[in-house]
Structure formats: structure tokens, C-alpha cells
Amino acid sequence: MIVNLSRIGACSPVFLAPMAGITDLPFRNLARRLGAGLVVSEMVASADMVNARPGVRAKAELGLGAEGTAVQLAGREPRWMAEAARICAGQGARVIDINFGCPAKKVTNGLSGSALMRDPDLALRLVEAVVGAVDVPVTIKTRLGWDSDALNAPEIAARAEAAGVAMVTVHGRTRCQFYQGAADWSAIAAVKRAVGVPVVANGDILDAATARRAMALSGSDAVMIGRGARGAPWLPGQVAAMLAGRPVPEAPRGAALAELMLEHYDAMLSFYGRDIGVRVARKHLGWYLDRVPGAAALRIRVVAATDPAAVVAMIARELRDCAFDMPREAAA
């Protein structure tokens, strides 16, 4: 049974996953404008948020007050999680997401992220603390479990739902897999059977075909696209249109792609400031140009450039007449 996503403010069942160093405010704003049903902030450490650690709140310019945006918090102390959630909700956050899925060692060594799947009681206390602290919907993002011998996502999801969680997202790998092997969408079906709230399938979803297959195997209500959207902020919107049987927006090419890239570039420079913005933008511009046939030489020059005016001129001049075929990820 597919359930309603309106409680979390999603306008379609195709979401943009939180990705550290990627899904900052400029990227999320673009993906949302181009049709992503929900966008999720980069993971924010709850204690750092509360203590206003330099750079954290700036990094986590969270789109507070924006419909279709979730703020993702990480931590292991209920008091810090609750207070960080209060701060975000008080500043306009529409949805608070709790991270039980990050596999990075620097996170799990601090007993946060997917390490919490080894301690379901603590995970539940975090959920209870956050749900009790805010009036906005609270969601969780998990993996299947810590390893193949402890696939406890259904248990954690059921307990979280009983504590008031409004949605569960599951990456179809264990923590010990990191990003190796293939995501097991069929294993997410056990989570779907365990709860009545919406379930979102995540992992290896790159296009409409993989989205359909993930939803069919998992029974999920929505999908979440992560790495496939790098350099393609339009992809979630395209997949959403395909799933709904609506006309699919074309992937930008030539002058349209140049215009989109420069809009994103300007947003990054404004958000981070010139010096940091130039550095942060390189990976995004590189991912865009990886999708342009014959643009390898342009990519090298753009990524190496330090003068924003030179970057703008190269992109505007050299992409204007460049063919840009619809990426494989958008194909039905």
C-alpha cells in the first residue's frame, strides 16, 4: 500500500539524498526548483549546531522555512539532538531527519550515524527526544543494519514509528558494505511491512528504470537519489515526471546548460564568498562537464581556473554550440 507523502511536504515521490560536501543550499535550491519532491540538508552534528561551532551554521544554511526541505541531524546525545532540533524548527525547518545511516568512520567512531543501529535503545531515545522537542514531522534515515548478521532496520523503524516518526528512508546496504556491491532493494520490503508510515528506498537509483525497480522490489512509497544527481540537479525532477507519466523536462544542453551552470556558480560564490566558492564549485562544474561529449579539455581548464570571470567566459563561450545528449540516468 502506497501512503501519502503530504505530511512531510513532498511534492513528488523522488527525493534528493543528503550528501556531505555536495547538497549544500545552492545545490538543494536548484534541485528543488527543477522538480525534486524533497531535498535534505547535509548532515549537521547536533552538538556543533547547538554550540554554534564556527562555520557549522553557515555550512548548514538549511533552507529554513522552505517547503520540501528537511534538515538532517546527527549525534548520540538526546539533549543535544533535542536542542538542535528546537533551534532548527524555531528558525523555520519544516522537517527534521535523524541520521542512523552514515557509514563514515569519523561518524561511526563517535558512535553516531549507522553505529546507532548497533544500539537500538539509544536510537529510540534520540527519536523520542527529537519528536518531543518539535512540532514538525521527524523522519529517520537508516541502512539495512550494521552488517549481514544484524539486519535490524525493520525493528528500528517500527519502534521509531511508535515514537512518532513520520517517514523512514532506508539505504539498501549495511554499514559494513559502505558503498560496495549492489543495493538490496528487496530487503527494504521488510521495513515497509513493519511500518505504516511512508518508506523511501535509497541506493543505486540512477534513472526512472532503477526507480521503478526499487519501488517494485521494496514496496516503497518514494525513492531517494544520491550520487546519480551529481552534475544533474534536474535528474530527480525528470524521474518524478517519468514515474507520473507527465511530459519529461529535457536535460539542458548547449546554451541552456551554460545558463544553468552559471546560475549555480553564481549561487556558490554568493553563498561561500569568492575564494571558498571558487574551490567548492570546481567539483560541481567538473561533474556537469563530465556529461558533455568532447568537453574533457574544457573541463581541465575550468577546474584549474581561479578567476571567476574566466570561468564564466569559458562556459558561456564554449558550451553555446556544444551538443548535450540526455544523460543515461534520465532514460526510462
Side-chain angles (χ1 to χ4, degrees), residues 117 142-145 150-158 168 170 191 194:
M117 301 198 75
T142 79
R143 291 210 161 207
L144 296 174
L151 302 178
N152 61 347
E155 172 202 344
I156 290 174
V168 177
V170 186
V191 177

Side-chain angles (χ1 to χ4, degrees), residues 167-203:
M167 186 178 75
V168 177
T169 299
V170 186
H171 183 110
R173 291 180 174 88
T174 65
R175 183 272 174 184
C176 289
Q177 286 181 274
F178 286 86
Y179 295 98
Q180 298 177 345
D184 186 354
W185 301 319
S186 62
I188 299 172
V191 177
K192 177 62 180 173
R193 291 191 296 269
V195 299
V197 295
V199 172
V200 184
N202 175 227

